[in-house]
Amino acid sequence: MQRKLAAILHADVVGYSRLMEGNETVTLRRLKSLRKQLWEPAIAQHNGRLVGTAGDALLIEFASVVGAVRCAIDLQKGMAERNTEEPDHRKMLLRIGVNLGEVIIDEDNDLFGDGVNIAARLQALAEPGGVLVSGKVHDEVMGRIGHEFIDCGEQQVKNINRPVRAYRLVLGELPVPPPVPEATKPTPVKPLPLPEPPSTQERSTAPGGAGPGVMAPITRTRATIKRRVENSWTFAGKDRDGVAFELVISASELKHAAEGLVLGRHSEQCDLVVAHGSLSRRHARLRIGEGRLTIEDLGSTNGTIVDGMRLPVETPRPLRDGAQLLLGEIRFVVTETGGDHTSS
């Protein structure tokens, strides 16, 4: 066996099992097409070596770390272009992790070692359609690829003893919809009552299609989380079709809900129902912790992502003012104003 320093790119298709369940033939045909028309040409263009595939995953080795990151950019841009004509439930998204480290090469030219493992762990933490790189990669490519990075801090990843510094590559995100002037804002959805009869525990999609600018109960949203009255938060925003949604949650509800409020798409298992196929039945939980609003992932398929970092399961994370939150394919921005949540 040999050892060498290499840049490793690990990519994985988000929600592959769900896509296969929906239409196995179409999914396999699209994967083959992507491999021939996008993945393999991008790898060759940046002098990479495809080490292995597992149907929905790619492991690629590069001699140049700049080549690895540029390949990641091309892959994500190419995927985005090919998704423009696809309905939401058929969009195919990649998560990508890139690391620079020592790898072990066996007699079959397969790669092993921490250099590979860290790339795989970074990929698992990346947001759908995003790229997460290690600190070593960031230091080598910063200022050389025409893209900025967001420092995501040190991450404790599985089977790696030391923390891994992670940076999110900024590929160009959708702008947050500007707040609607107060005079034109529709009446907010009332705060959810404390759990009593099942019929009072959910907010579901309004019947029929709502046009741009129309408010509807919480469902497929790209939203701003804004606390408009003291001791409450308002989730407001738009989906990709321009339909606006709004939900108000009071701090008193959260404080009196011993297990927090569960958010997801299943009306019988959640306190807050978001009728969107990219969310899991029980996706995430909101709580008040040490006077702050926190969120934790409940083992969702597509993940709960805060500021570009995928949360480990059942690990509460505070939502800071201005935080970007991604639940499945739904993007939120968190805005916080005054109020004291530490008292009953």
Side-chain angles (χ1 to χ4, degrees):
M1 291 197 214
Q2 300 178 351
R3 293 177 180 268
K4 70 175 181 179
L5 189 67
I8 302 299
L9 186 156
H10 194 283
D12 189 65
V13 176
V14 179
Y16 178 71
S17 298
R18 172 179 58 83
L19 291 168
M20 289 290 283
E21 247 180 44
N23 194 318
E24 190 175 82
T25 302
V26 170
T27 298
L28 289 173
R29 187 183 301 128
R30 286 191 67 201
L31 274 176
K32 289 181 180 179
S33 173
L34 284 167
R35 184 167 292 136
K36 290 182 179 179
Q37 297 178 19
L38 174 63
W39 299 350
E40 290 177 358
I43 293 167
Q45 180 182 350
H46 297 288
N47 300 311
R49 178 176 76 92
L50 182 60
V51 179
T53 63
D56 60 331
L58 299 170
L59 179 62
I60 311 164
E61 173 196 2
F62 295 85
S64 162
V65 66
V66 171
V69 175
R70 284 180 173 160
C71 181
I73 293 169
D74 287 352
L75 288 174
Q76 292 295 29
K77 287 185 175 179
M79 294 294 290
E81 290 170 1
R82 284 159 175 77
N83 279 327
T84 54
E85 302 300 322
E86 295 290 336
D88 284 351
H89 70 283
R90 296 303 307 165
K91 292 186 189 300
M92 197 170 281
L93 300 171
L94 288 179
R95 279 194 291 258
I96 295 179
V98 184
N99 181 46
L100 175 65
E102 188 174 84
V103 297
I104 301 170
I105 310 168
D106 70 4
E107 57 274 9
D108 296 320
N109 272 336
D110 288 332
L111 300 182
F112 301 92
D114 282 357
V116 176
N117 294 339
I118 290 173
R121 302 308 178 201
L122 289 170
Q123 172 272 119
L125 290 172
E127 62 181 334
V131 179
L132 207 62
V133 307
S134 66
K136 290 181 180 178
V137 172
H138 169 268
D139 293 346
E140 288 292 329
V141 305
M142 188 60 189
R144 302 170 63 188
I145 59 169
H147 287 263
E148 298 297 321
F149 291 87
I150 294 174
D151 187 352
C152 298
E154 292 190 335
Q155 305 295 317
Q156 193 65 54
V157 298
K158 185 178 178 181
N159 296 331
I160 304 294
N161 293 328
R162 63 192 182 282
V164 176
R165 193 82 180 189
Y167 291 82
R168 177 163 64 92
L169 179 66
V170 179
L171 292 167
E173 298 172 345
L174 291 172
V176 178
V180 180
E182 287 292 337
T184 65
K185 286 178 182 174
T187 303
V189 176
K190 293 181 180 179
L192 293 176
L194 294 175
E196 292 178 3
S199 61
T200 67
Q201 293 185 5
E202 67 177 69
R203 296 289 184 271
S204 59
T205 311
V214 176
M215 281 290 176
I218 191 71
T219 180
R220 302 187 304 137
T221 55
R222 181 163 63 83
T224 301
I225 304 174
K226 182 180 290 187
R227 190 173 58 195
R228 297 196 188 146
V229 293
E230 197 166 7
N231 298 325
S232 70
W233 287 267
T234 298
F235 289 53
K238 297 179 179 179
D239 67 6
R240 292 181 178 180
D241 298 322
V243 180
F245 305 92
E246 188 169 85
L247 170 71
V248 179
I249 306 173
S250 70
S252 59
E253 291 179 78
L254 287 163
K255 284 185 286 187
H256 288 95
E259 299 301 320
L261 297 177
V262 175
L263 183 151
R265 62 179 169 84
H266 198 287
S267 60
E268 295 181 5
Q269 298 181 18
C270 299
D271 305 299
L272 308 172
V273 179
V274 182
H276 193 286
S278 69
L279 269 71
S280 295
R281 291 173 180 242
R282 286 167 48 89
H283 196 103
R285 189 193 313 272
L286 293 168
R287 299 177 190 257
I288 289 289
E290 299 181 356
R292 302 178 67 182
L293 178 65
T294 66
I295 189 167
E296 64 181 293
D297 186 77
L298 298 178
S300 64
T301 300
N302 290 329
T304 300
I305 297 162
V306 178
D307 291 333
M309 295 300 303
R310 183 168 176 143
L311 301 186
V313 175
E314 296 183 349
T315 303
R317 171 82 174 263
L319 289 174
R320 65 172 179 81
D321 186 30
Q324 295 195 26
L325 172 65
L326 191 67
L327 300 175
E329 297 172 6
I330 306 172
R331 189 179 300 278
F332 302 90
V333 172
V334 182
T335 305
E336 185 174 4
T337 57
D340 179 6
H341 307 294
T342 59
S343 59
S344 305

